[in-house]
Amino acid sequence: IMSHNTIHNESSELLVRDAFGQYRLATGDEVLKAARQVIGRRVRRGTSMSSPHVVRDYLHTKLAELEHEVFVALLLDSQNRLIEYIELFRGTLAQTSVYPREVVKVALSRNAAAMILAHNHPSGNLKPSQADIKITKEIFDAGKTLNIQLLDHLIITQKSYYSFADENML
């Protein structure tokens, strides 16, 4: 994908090269795919995850367009730098089974000092379910016992996000 400024109307268009080497306007899906690739290259091991904006943008590009629910963790070192993005559980359109023991076990195995949890709601509903609230508390408590700080749990939809930390639910 490349940016192209037309002479006549000064607008910016995104173009892609087709199989024949000809340029055409990019589709919305192609633009989103390219954006995911760019942010995926920018956010890798060692990237600081201290900015809520960076975290939200990264998780939105990873989760917002999925048609099934996925529960992930950003495992962080003591300076909140990314150790690993890991998909922990995958579910159906409406639900995922999450096991706190497995979440904490993975964090311990990667020597994480902190973590940010996230999952998507393909339905678009931002409101956390009772199960979301319960699992967050259980993981928070288990992490606290083992000195692994849960910094946030985000629910991601195509249009927005919900932060447990912003809502003082941690």
Side-chain angles (χ1 to χ4, degrees), residues 33-93:
K33 181 180 176 186
R36 283 188 201 98
Q37 290 170 343
V38 167
I39 201 157
R41 285 191 299 269
R42 284 187 181 166
V43 177
R44 54 184 181 259
R45 185 178 182 94
T47 300
S48 174
M49 292 302 207
S50 297
S51 163
H53 181 72
V54 168
V55 171
R56 286 191 302 263
D57 285 352
Y58 178 64
L59 290 169
H60 190 267
T61 60
K62 298 289 260 182
L63 301 174
E65 300 297 322
L66 298 177
E67 295 177 359
H68 54 278
E69 197 166 304
V70 175
F71 189 92
V72 302
L74 298 177
L75 303 176
L76 310 174
D77 67 14
S78 60
Q79 277 79 47
N80 292 336
R81 293 177 304 213
L82 183 65
I83 296 170
E84 187 174 354
Y85 166 93
I86 187 163
E87 182 179 304
L88 296 166
F89 306 100
R90 181 179 290 245
T92 63
L93 178 67

Side-chain angles (χ1 to χ4, degrees), residues 7 25 32 63 134 157:
I7 295 172
L25 287 176
L32 290 172
L63 301 174
K134 181 178 185 277
T157 68

Side-chain angles (χ1 to χ4, degrees), residues 15-38:
L15 303 175
V16 292
R17 192 180 328 197
D18 65 20
F20 305 106
Q22 300 296 313
Y23 287 97
R24 62 174 174 72
L25 287 176
T27 65
D29 286 342
E30 288 168 326
V31 170
L32 290 172
K33 181 180 176 186
R36 283 188 201 98
Q37 290 170 343
V38 167

Side-chain angles (χ1 to χ4, degrees), residues 152-163:
D152 203 352
H153 181 176
L154 296 158
I155 297 171
I156 307 290
T157 68
Q158 283 186 340
K159 295 182 180 178
S160 195
Y161 71 94
Y162 178 93
S163 164

